Amino acid sequence: MKPRGVLLAGNWKMNHGPAAARGFFEALPWSGKEGAIMRIYPSFLALPTALDAVKTGGKKIEIGAQNFHAEKSGAFTGEVSGPMLQEIGIRQVLLGHSERRQYFAETPPLILKKTVSALQQGFEVLLCIGETLDERNGGQTLSVLTHQLESTLADPTCAAAFGKTLHLAYEPVWAIGTGVTATPTQAQETHASLRGLISRTLGQDIANAVRILYGGSVTPANFAELLACPDIDGGLVGGASLKPDSFGALWSLI
Ligand code: 13P
């Protein structure tokens, strides 16, 4: 078993309404695996159905939200708050995804605000970071990731939560939805550097406890190799999480 266990998380993005979500969970082959967690982040609208489907199906699958608003209530048209999510039984949120950064102008200060608010409200946060292809080709991978993480590492609420209710997903932007996966060597190198950064900032014990998931064109054909890397603690999967067959195949590799 891997020291931090394995988290296999599916990010459905803007796919699967309630009916498709129910069909997915009914068809998904699932069996308990010691130390491993399966989690899906459906759209807001499919959250109640997903929660009900895993409960009635007896499948221990965590259901999380893809986003949330840092304020608990108020005049924020179109937004969903932490208390609303908690009311229906959601305990996990995904934050900082590159699509939120790119298409919804989420900046590091905003992502920090959401992260702190989520942690203070008792959510577990999976925080996504990643560099673009230009940044990687320009040798800036680590400086970009450090910049994306530094305010989080410096914040006392986040610092106290790292390795407990705050974990990371490294998703190189150039690998998301492109069919181009980071090689196990590239991913392991980056994950080890991130763990080193956390260790230098918050200490080795916390660094050892933080799960760092890899995301970006993960499929049943490449997941085993990635998972064999010592600093890769699971996958955050987009496309291959949409079908019960492929997501079930990923689970069977753990
Ligand atoms: P793909 O697996 O489709 O590349 O998406 C990765 C991702 O963005 C998960 O959050």
Side-chain angles (χ1 to χ4, degrees):
M1 206 167 79
K2 309 258 291 179
R4 288 167 285 274
V6 175
L7 172 58
L8 175 64
N11 172 13
W12 282 356
K13 310 188 179 185
M14 200 172 69
N15 297 292
H16 287 352
R22 186 169 298 281
F24 174 92
F25 288 111
E26 282 172 3
L28 181 71
W30 184 86
S31 59
K33 284 182 190 285
E34 211 190 319
I37 297 169
M38 183 191 278
R39 183 182 301 159
I40 295 280
Y41 298 95
S43 71
F44 285 132
L45 210 55
L47 287 174
T49 309
L51 286 163
D52 182 65
V54 299
K55 195 170 161 201
T56 48
K59 298 176 179 174
K60 283 197 181 137
I61 303 169
E62 295 180 350
I63 304 296
Q66 295 173 18
N67 184 25
F68 97 126
H69 195 282
E71 298 299 330
K72 290 188 175 169
S73 64
F76 300 101
T77 302
E79 292 293 307
V80 172
S81 72
M84 292 172 184
L85 292 171
Q86 284 183 339
E87 186 180 333
I88 64 163
I90 297 297
R91 299 286 175 266
Q92 275 96 20
V93 288
L94 185 68
L95 293 175
H97 194 281
S98 63
E99 288 151 16
R100 300 289 322 164
R101 295 175 193 261
Q102 189 180 345
Y103 303 131
F104 302 95
E106 291 200 6
T107 57
L110 177 64
I111 294 161
L112 176 66
K113 195 173 170 200
K114 289 186 177 201
T115 304
V116 170
S117 173
L119 294 171
Q120 287 175 343
Q121 292 183 61
F123 287 97
E124 181 180 333
V125 175
L126 185 60
L127 178 65
C128 305
I129 53 173
E131 84 287 1
T132 64
L133 189 57
D134 281 351
E135 289 162 347
R136 175 160 283 265
N137 290 340
Q140 296 168 309
T141 299
L142 270 186
S143 61
V144 168
L145 298 177
T146 303
H147 175 65
Q148 288 175 352
L149 263 191
E150 62 196 358
S151 57
T152 312
L153 289 167
D155 177 89
T157 302
C158 297
F162 260 107
K164 296 184 188 114
T165 51
L166 177 55
H167 297 273
L168 298 178
Y170 167 57
E171 296 205 311
V173 177
W174 47 272
I176 295 177
T178 58
V180 180
T181 322
T183 64
T185 309
Q186 284 173 321
Q188 167 56 27
E189 256 176 34
T190 310
H191 283 226
S193 304
L194 288 170
R195 208 177 295 287
L197 172 66
I198 299 166
S199 171
R200 286 192 300 283
T201 320
L202 302 176
Q204 190 63 47
D205 286 352
I206 291 179
N208 285 343
V210 176
R211 273 200 195 102
I212 309 178
L213 271 53
Y214 168 80
S217 297
V218 170
T219 68
N222 57 34
F223 189 47
E225 261 191 328
L226 289 160
L227 206 52
C229 301
D231 287 293
I232 298 182
D233 305 308
L236 179 58
V237 185
S241 73
L242 292 174
K243 294 209 171 95
D245 289 359
S246 48
F247 202 60
L250 292 171
W251 184 241
S252 72
L253 293 169
I254 294 171

